[in-house]
């Protein structure tokens, strides 16, 4: 077992990483079950692939569970589903002392965390992420949200989990495309401030996708350690440190908007394309060596990820994509901060990017 602490002054919590953790998760969750019962939120895919084993280990520990199932994909992160979920929680007589279990990927974790934040003015919740993207990114750090007509994650709150339980063996249930989407977020940590980790990802890509348990565990642990460190330094993005985690997301969210927040483009795929775009835009501005941008694109392409607008299935022009960006929640006083790079492992936050130039750059990428 590897235990990583998120050292927040008022509500620290631990992240447990261990292969096979799901098999005895009931024993771990016993202290979180009120009167021998817990409430579980999952989605249609996880309900088939993981939930039966999860319920069995709960029964072995003497824990009953009631389960709410969301639609799979981004459709599960809407106002409609939030209303359904909160109504269900109230029907289940949820109490503020309860710990709601989020068993699933990023969508499940995001909406469950947000529901836990607002129900009865705040319940606790536990993250059990079942996708690589959720294990290395969305389950850690307390960002919760739903999507709205205006864009992705625009309605939400910071609400830290009480515990995060990560079982790398769950990755064996994922289709290759979903595994690749999560790998984009793994690579991100190398691009932010750890060139050696980027090189680890490049050197071990074949082993990672081939199912090597040690390489997968190392990638997860190093990613979570990076995120825990950044979150502890800047929980709510007050200093700009946590904003580094948004590398690729400003471009990526615009690509997701253009593709209708659908399975046409997974979130991790959008982030991959967004990171490649951010590095090429940094080259355009004279900030980053062209070879570094090429190396980033090559690694992502080796993982089967999109690195261009056409590969991402995006046909909108630059002005349209920039209009999507104007809805970004980081917009302040008419200015949108961008994550740019001086090289691999040298990401920084720029507040003087001209959006008209971004539009022209995107037109040149079409």
């Amino acid at each position: 077992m590897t235990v990583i602490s998120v050292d927040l002054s008022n509500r620290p919590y631990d992240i447990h990483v261990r292969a096979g953790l799901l098999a005895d998760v009931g024993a771990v969750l016993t202290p979180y079950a009120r009167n021998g019962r817990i409430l579980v939120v999952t989605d249609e895919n996880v309900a088939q692939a993981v939930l039966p084993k999860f319920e069995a280990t709960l029964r072995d520990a003497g824990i009953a569970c009631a389960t709410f199932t969301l639609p799979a994909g981004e459709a599960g992160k809407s106002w409609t589903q939030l209303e359904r979920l909160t109504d269900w929680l109230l029907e289940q007589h949820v109490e503020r002392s309860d710990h709601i279990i989020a068993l699933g990927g990023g969508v499940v974790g995001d909406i469950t965390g947000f529901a836990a934040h607002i129900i009865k003015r705040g319940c606790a919740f536990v993250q059990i992420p079942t996708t690589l993207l959720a294990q290395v990114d969305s389950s850690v750090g307390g960002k919760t949200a739903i999507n709205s007509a205006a864009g992705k994650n625009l309605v939400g709150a910071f609400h830290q989990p009480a515990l995060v339980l990560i079982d790398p063996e769950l990755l064996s249930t994922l289709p290759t495309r979903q595994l690749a989407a999560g790998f984009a977020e793994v690579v991100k940590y190398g691009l932010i401030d750890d060139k050696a980790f980027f090189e680890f990802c490049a050197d071990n890509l074949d082993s990672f996708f081939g199912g090597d348990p040690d390489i997968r565990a190392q990638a997860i642990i190093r990613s979570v350690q990076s995120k825990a460190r950044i979150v502890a330094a800047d929980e709510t993005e007050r200093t700009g440190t946590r904003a580094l985690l948004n590398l690729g997301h400003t471009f990526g969210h615009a690509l997701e908007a253009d593709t209708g927040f659908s399975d046409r483009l997974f979130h991790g795929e959008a982030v991959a394309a967004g990171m490649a775009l951010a590095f090429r835009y940094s080259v355009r501005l004279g900030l980053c060596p062209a070879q570094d941008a090429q190396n980033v694109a090559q690694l992502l392409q080796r993982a089967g990820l999109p690195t261009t607008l056409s590969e991402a299935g995006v046909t909108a022009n630059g002005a349209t994509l920039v209009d999507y960006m104007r809805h970004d929640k980081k917009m302040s006083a008419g200015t949108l901060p961008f994550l740019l790079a001086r090289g691999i492992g040298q990401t920084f936050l720029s507040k003087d990017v001209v959006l008209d130039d971004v539009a022209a750059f995107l037109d040149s990428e079409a």
Side-chain angles (χ1 to χ4, degrees), residues 1-4 14-29 53 57 127-129 135 163-171 213-214 216-218 220-221 224:
M1 175 85 77
T2 297
V3 179
I4 301 159
D14 289 338
I15 303 159
H16 295 187
V17 184
R18 177 168 64 82
L21 181 58
L22 189 69
D24 55 8
V25 73
V28 180
L29 291 177
K53 184 177 180 180
T57 187
Q127 290 266 26
I128 305 180
Q135 290 182 352
L163 178 69
V164 182
L165 303 176
I166 297 175
D167 184 349
E169 288 186 358
L170 288 173
L171 301 186
D214 182 59
R216 286 185 173 184
Q218 285 188 60
I220 292 168
I221 290 166
V224 172

Side-chain angles (χ1 to χ4, degrees), residues 193-258:
D193 62 2
D194 191 348
K195 186 175 181 180
F197 185 49
F198 175 84
E199 293 169 349
F200 170 89
C201 292
D203 292 342
N204 293 284
L205 182 144
D206 291 339
S207 296
F208 183 92
F209 281 92
D212 185 307
D214 182 59
I215 293 299
R216 286 185 173 184
Q218 285 188 60
I220 292 168
I221 290 166
R222 290 180 67 171
S223 297
V224 172
Q225 287 172 333
S226 293
K227 183 155 190 182
R229 168 177 51 83
I230 292 171
V231 169
D234 181 20
E235 180 185 1
T236 58
E237 292 187 7
R238 298 299 183 190
T239 68
T241 301
R242 181 166 181 163
L244 296 173
L245 296 169
N246 293 322
L247 175 63
H249 286 62
T250 300
F251 284 109
H253 285 170
L255 307 187
E256 286 185 273
D258 186 63

Side-chain angles (χ1 to χ4, degrees), residues 58-108:
L58 292 183
R59 285 194 299 270
D60 290 344
I63 301 172
C65 75
T67 303
F68 181 89
T69 304
L70 292 159
E74 290 291 328
K77 221 167 87 172
S78 67
W79 281 109
T80 299
Q81 297 304 326
L82 180 65
E83 182 178 20
R84 289 184 60 237
L85 175 55
T86 51
D87 283 346
W88 178 80
L89 289 169
L90 293 171
E91 290 168 1
Q92 297 297 321
H93 306 291
V94 67
E95 295 184 5
R96 295 179 68 178
S97 59
D98 281 324
H99 288 77
I100 305 164
I101 310 300
L103 178 69
V107 167
V108 171

